Amino acid sequence: INFYWETRNHASNEFLIDKYSKWKFNSVIEIGCNCGNRLFNISKLNKNSCLAGIDINDKAIEFGKKMLQNEHVENINLVYGRAELLDIYNKDSFDIAFSWATLIYIRPKIIINVLQNMMRIAKKAVILIEMNTNGDSRDPKGLGIYYEPGNWKRNYRLLFNTLGVPDNKIRIENVSKEI
């Protein structure tokens, strides 16, 4: 877990901070936050923001709470929970809901539920930094193609279209492999 905490200064987090610095937000939730290493840097952009993270790893959550306390960060709330159980949050609870390499672990039969709930709790945007198939014919419903060692790659445009989001509201950007 300490490894994840130490990545808070990695170039990938600089990429995320660059994206967030362009948006106005007062609240953000990260689905699959581990110890809150990415939220740590987002909190620096807006010290008055209300940030939250949810993760299935209770040890990572407890570790993150200690590290955030040591860093005197008070605007991040980390909770133990599963991505498919976001019903603990009310509609429009956050400006932005995001995930970074978390949905690759979500089974195809529950991915729609996770995305619906992310859309429900986010007022302004859902941001996914995930592996995308870009319309691979082996995945006609967009639910996922399995890749070793245990990751699902999906057609997120198709999934969001299925959920009623029009193409003009979806933006897909390629991210360099270094990130």
Side-chain angles (χ1 to χ4, degrees):
I1 299 168
N2 190 54
F3 167 79
Y4 284 104
W5 181 252
E6 293 303 322
T7 65
R8 68 192 184 284
N9 298 317
H10 186 266
S12 63
N13 283 326
E14 291 175 22
F15 165 82
L16 187 64
I17 295 307
D18 179 60
K19 292 294 181 190
Y20 271 90
S21 67
K22 296 172 183 157
W23 299 316
K24 292 187 184 209
F25 64 89
N26 292 313
S27 57
V28 173
I29 185 169
E30 180 179 9
I31 313 305
C33 68
N34 194 278
C35 58
N37 52 310
R38 288 189 173 84
L39 291 167
F40 175 79
N41 287 312
I42 294 170
S43 74
K44 293 178 182 178
L45 291 174
N46 182 350
K47 292 191 185 292
N48 296 319
S49 62
C50 176
L51 306 179
I54 186 169
D55 199 278
I56 194 170
N57 185 337
D58 59 336
K59 289 179 177 65
I61 293 296
E62 292 308 313
F63 179 85
K65 286 178 178 180
K66 289 177 188 167
M67 292 299 102
L68 293 168
Q69 185 176 27
N70 291 345
E71 296 283 344
H72 308 288
V73 177
E74 298 177 0
N75 65 332
I76 300 175
N77 182 35
L78 302 180
V79 298
Y80 168 76
R82 300 179 67 87
E84 64 269 25
L85 299 176
L86 296 176
D87 53 338
I88 62 172
Y89 298 106
N90 293 326
K91 183 179 186 332
D92 297 334
S93 292
F94 302 95
D95 291 333
I96 299 170
F98 85 98
S99 70
W100 183 304
T102 296
L103 303 184
I104 60 174
Y105 302 110
I106 302 295
R107 298 179 314 276
K109 66 180 175 179
I110 61 173
I111 188 62
I112 293 289
N113 172 267
V114 172
L115 294 174
Q116 282 175 319
N117 273 305
M118 288 179 77
M119 289 171 48
R120 182 184 59 77
I121 66 175
K123 281 187 263 190
K124 296 181 178 181
V126 172
I127 300 167
L128 307 179
I129 303 166
E130 302 286 346
M131 293 176 16
N132 189 46
T133 62
N134 294 319
D136 189 313
S137 62
R138 296 174 294 162
D139 186 25
K141 295 183 180 179
L143 296 173
I145 300 171
Y146 185 78
Y147 288 83
E148 292 294 338
N151 303 328
W152 291 96
K153 207 172 183 182
R154 298 186 163 90
N155 182 340
Y156 285 102
R157 178 177 301 281
L158 181 58
L159 289 174
F160 280 114
N161 286 161
T162 300
L163 293 171
V165 180
D167 277 339
N168 67 341
K169 297 286 185 183
I170 301 169
R171 187 172 76 224
I172 295 177
E173 299 177 24
N174 290 325
V175 178
S176 74
K177 291 183 180 184
E178 293 79 38
I179 302 289

